[in-house]
Amino acid sequence: MKTAAVRAPAGFKNILFATDFSSTAANAIPFVKAIAGHYEAQIFAFHVRPPVVNPMTSPNTWAVDLEIAKAEDEQHRREMLDTFPGSRTTALIAEGGIQSCLQKAIKDNNIDLVVLGTHGRTGAAKLLLGSIAEEIFRNVECPVLTVGPLANYCQDRTGKFHQILFATDFSSDAHYAAAFAVSLALESQAHLAVMHVIPDQEAGDLVSPTDVSRSVQELLRDAVPTEARGWCKVEYLVKRGNAWQPCRESPMK
């Protein structure tokens, strides 16, 4: 993995808050307010609805359906604007597929950050964030902040980050995320934890767990520029187990 470059502190000028007006979406609202306030960013409250006119509806009802949709859109616009009083907020309502509409909204409004609430459900083999949330953060080109139902917002409402966890699998694209994590840590003078999870050792492995942990420690250190280590506190964590489960401590820390 390439070393993360030290760049100018991260800043957000345009934040997109994606909502379906559910309680799940509402979990993200305090974070949107705090981050937008800290960075003096503009908020784009964004909602996507299915097309009103489609093959499943009778042409005889299209005129009425369009009028109903127009009234609902106006109500949703007012609700989105009322959610962020005192902030520079633009209400956006699109019709169509969530992914294509979101990509267009991000491009048209120069979005720096997408924020959305998500439910956390444990599956048999992985953590599920919900199909729409997963589709969003895997396909959009800007950072995405997902806020789960158990997210703690009681400690600080300034919008600054105090503890940042950068989990890496050392993939070819991981250095982009590392650079962003370092930048956010520098901006907020936050504690940065850089972590990698090692699979459990199997019978027949020739390399000792201690040697593997030591090698991973060196890779983690290489992910953070030397000069950045003097500007924020950095901790390197090597864990064992499955990345999606609570991990056991490594022999080294």
Side-chain angles (χ1 to χ4, degrees):
M1 182 177 69
K2 298 180 181 179
T3 299
V6 176
R7 61 181 187 181
F12 303 115
K13 295 181 179 179
N14 300 305
I15 298 174
L16 186 145
F17 166 58
T19 179
D20 60 0
F21 303 101
S22 65
S23 58
T24 295
N27 291 331
I29 291 174
F31 294 87
V32 176
K33 290 180 177 179
I35 295 172
H38 176 72
Y39 290 98
E40 298 182 348
Q42 180 167 355
I43 299 171
F44 292 84
F46 179 69
H47 174 65
V48 178
R49 60 167 172 77
V52 176
V53 176
N54 61 73
M56 301 301 293
T57 58
S58 170
N60 295 330
T61 67
W62 285 354
V64 175
D65 292 341
L66 288 170
E67 284 298 318
I68 294 174
K70 182 179 179 180
E72 290 178 345
D73 287 349
E74 184 58 33
Q75 179 181 348
H76 284 154
R77 284 192 181 92
R78 289 197 301 268
E79 183 176 341
M80 288 190 286
L81 294 175
D82 291 343
T83 299
F84 303 103
S87 301
R88 292 183 296 133
T89 306
T90 299
L92 303 175
I93 296 180
E95 180 182 85
I98 178 65
Q99 194 62 42
S100 59
C101 291
L102 181 61
Q103 293 281 14
K104 186 177 187 303
I106 291 173
K107 181 179 179 180
D108 291 349
N109 298 285
N110 298 314
I111 298 299
D112 305 298
L113 175 70
V114 173
V115 183
L116 68 154
T118 181
H119 56 267
R121 296 182 302 177
T122 55
K126 64 178 180 179
L127 180 68
L128 300 177
L129 295 176
S131 58
I132 293 178
E134 184 172 3
E135 183 181 2
I136 288 173
F137 74 70
R138 290 188 182 278
N139 290 283
V140 303
E141 296 181 356
C142 66
V144 178
L145 172 63
T146 58
V147 179
L150 301 181
N152 186 348
Y153 186 65
C154 298
Q155 296 180 357
D156 189 346
R157 303 196 174 198
T158 64
K160 294 185 68 174
F161 297 90
H162 295 280
Q163 298 188 50
I164 297 173
L165 173 64
F166 168 58
T168 177
D169 60 358
F170 302 118
S171 62
S172 60
D173 292 330
H175 67 283
Y176 294 114
F180 195 81
V182 169
S183 183
L184 278 178
L186 296 178
E187 163 71 12
S188 297
Q189 292 294 288
H191 172 210
L192 175 63
V194 187
M195 185 181 79
H196 177 72
V197 179
I198 303 172
D200 285 325
Q201 189 174 21
E202 297 182 359
D205 287 347
L206 300 179
V207 183
S208 70
T210 300
D211 289 340
V212 172
S213 295
R214 186 177 293 111
S215 297
V216 171
Q217 281 274 339
E218 292 302 318
L219 290 174
L220 292 178
R221 291 183 182 277
D222 288 343
V224 180
T226 303
E227 57 268 35
R229 300 169 198 167
W231 300 336
C232 63
K233 181 180 178 182
V234 184
E235 183 179 8
Y236 305 95
L237 303 175
V238 180
K239 305 291 184 177
R240 286 196 170 275
N242 294 311
W244 50 270
Q245 288 182 332
C247 297
R248 294 186 294 279
E249 294 289 341
S250 158
M252 296 183 63
K253 198 172 181 181

